[in-house]
Amino acid sequence: MAERFTKSMARNIYLGGSTFFILLFLGLTFDTMQAMPERDNRENLTESVANGKMLWEENNCLGCHSLFGEGAYFAPELGNVYDRRGMGNDEAFVGFIKAWMNAMPTNVPGRRQMPQFNLNDQELEDLAAFLKYANGINTNGWPPNIEG
Amino acid sequence: MKFQSQSAAMPYFIFALALFVGQIVFGLIIGLQYVVGDFLFPEIPFNVARMVHTNLLIVWLLFGFMGAAYYLVPEEAETELYSTKLAWILFWVFAAAGTLTIIGYLAVPYATLAKITGNDLLPTMGREFLEMPTITKIGVVVVALGFLFNIGMTMLKGRKTAINIVLMTGLVGLAVFFLFAFYNPINLAIDKYFWWWVVHLWVEGVWELIMGSILAFVLIKVTGVDREVIEKWLYIIIAMALISGIIGTGHHYFWIGPPEYWHYLGSIFSAIEPIPFFMMTVFAFNMVSRRRREHPNRAATLWALGCAVMAFLGAGVWGFLHTLAPVNYYTHGTQVTAAHGHMAFYGAYVMIVITMISYAMPVMRGRPNGNSRQAQTVEMWSFWLMTIAMVFITLFLTAAGILQIWMQRIPESGQALSFMATQDNIALFYWLREISGVVFFIGLLTYLASFFVKGDPVEIAEK
């Protein structure tokens, strides 16, 4: 590094550069928020979905599963589980969720186990509503296939 | 030790290391659950153990950063800490809150914990890395404010060096971005968008400032190279870190709802994210080769160099490997992500905290020249055990991830294997990862043992 390059020049690059990119990031965030209503499936946000999201969080589902690829990688991706297990049919999906959740844990020796969360019928329907709503968010074509 | 109050760092370091042990124990548990699915079920289900593993990591690193600040800031500012008492009070508050939270995770179901801590009043729980109860989050904010006040007042009354200023900006940024942990909209896409403001802007933003300033501080101490040179490097490195890292957040916005232009922005800026880490490696080796003295604490120098290299590999190279949108389309949320996460966190943040402990702890224990040769030899063994084990953990997880993509992601729907079938097929790599994890744990125990090795005091040798 040439001696002419001084510490205060380095500091100015730091201050100027980070300020510029923070402002740019805020601008891009503003733009993204303008685009979101077309993409985030907000028209389907119901009270049931909201309750489902709360159940999703309060039972720490993300501690095993992933949602849009984020979370733990111990159990299947659930961002598209409505397509995978419900095949796009509401009744089939709610039926699947209820049957699945009530059958847990399987207690098969050596297999990964999902705990029994003791959710009632209404709660399971809310959870299914939340997963269906998530499935409707525009994720730019991710995941690559139905297996998530 | 130049200032008596620097010893406030000691309890933070000790408690950090205790939590580190806990983190690794739970890491071994979940590693085993990957292959023996019902291990410890239903007593400790995977999600609980994983939550303990990741939250202990975050909390012990925060303890490490705080300890580093209490040691470093008075020495840089050339004045006693504003209040040693406050540092101690906050230590106990944070330690108690952290311990109670972990006990909470283990003792009651998570939903019960959420209920008794009032998650329905202000829902913030149940999102990855932000699983702690809302009241704990509020406690963290209180501790952070008290800590920043203490450190800030110390800086104000003393000398303001670049290292101090960068560290302070990093710590303030850490506190500011944590506030987004309290924002949890029902709209999932927007929730995720701002969730990354905590997670990404921490580890690929402000934490890098903290890391850079600690590294610069230790390098000044162990090499004796002119402060002007080191501080110039520090500014350039963190400038690059923020210039690349802020818009680099975009690599998390590919598949969670935001518009497609993030594919370009995220890919371009994350392609330059390895640069600051590469500069850090060049910087560390450059300073050590230019050193004016052979500092007798060679273990600390080894940790500093190792930290720079492993941060570059883990955060830089392994990050870049799967950060371009067309690649990330397949790797996102697979074991490749886990591989990157492990090496990046170890290389950048675990090792920088250990670097600081390795340098500062002997001084605080009345050995200004570092531990005895014998103790340092044990410590350097622990360095190699942990570091090599982490390299293997990363390689095995990468292999698992590539196979996972091959079987589960690449084939068309209908042809692809299901998630669980894929997991069964790659179990061998999970076993190998678990064995590497055991070696890592042995390395950690070796590290702790080095604190208890006696031996002959070492002398300063000028170069």
Side-chain angles (χ1 to χ4, degrees), chain A residues 5 7 31 39 68 70 148, chain B residues 231-232 257 261 332 408:
Chain A
F5 187 75
K7 191 170 97 181
D31 185 72
R39 307 175 52 87
F68 303 160
E70 290 162 0
Chain B
E231 293 191 333
K232 189 157 65 179
Y261 63 71
H332 179 58
Q408 184 199 321

Side-chain angles (χ1 to χ4, degrees), chain A residues 47-146:
Chain A
E47 209 165 304
S48 177
V49 171
N51 194 39
K53 183 168 186 275
M54 183 104 121
L55 288 164
W56 167 267
E57 288 162 357
E58 293 192 344
N59 289 288
N60 193 233
C61 305
L62 218 66
C64 294
H65 293 277
S66 57
L67 189 64
F68 303 160
E70 290 162 0
Y73 324 116
F74 186 71
E77 162 69 31
L78 297 185
N80 66 341
V81 70
Y82 177 75
D83 282 340
R84 181 167 62 246
R85 297 298 197 175
M87 289 153 288
N89 178 304
D90 281 13
E91 249 171 73
F93 185 60
V94 172
F96 168 78
I97 290 285
K98 284 184 178 169
W100 182 270
M101 295 285 288
N102 288 327
M104 295 296 117
T106 60
N107 287 320
V108 178
R111 293 292 292 178
R112 296 181 191 177
Q113 296 296 321
M114 178 161 163
Q116 175 52 253
F117 293 103
N118 300 310
L119 302 182
N120 62 36
D121 264 15
Q122 181 58 48
E123 289 172 326
L124 290 170
E125 281 161 28
D126 292 346
L127 198 57
F130 168 66
L131 291 171
K132 183 193 170 193
Y133 147 78
N135 194 99
I137 293 174
N138 181 346
T139 55
N140 292 325
W142 194 90
N145 65 38
I146 197 85

Side-chain angles (χ1 to χ4, degrees), chain B residues 203-205 207-208 211 215 237 240-241 244 272-284 307-317 340 344 347-349:
Chain B
V203 297
E204 291 169 66
W207 283 28
E208 285 184 39
M211 179 197 173
L215 188 62
I237 289 171
M240 281 313 297
S244 62
I272 51 177
E273 274 193 59
I275 294 174
F277 289 105
F278 181 68
M279 289 172 70
M280 237 183 269
T281 312
V282 176
F283 166 58
C307 171
V309 172
M310 294 301 288
F312 171 64
L313 284 179
V317 176
H340 159 60
Y349 300 121

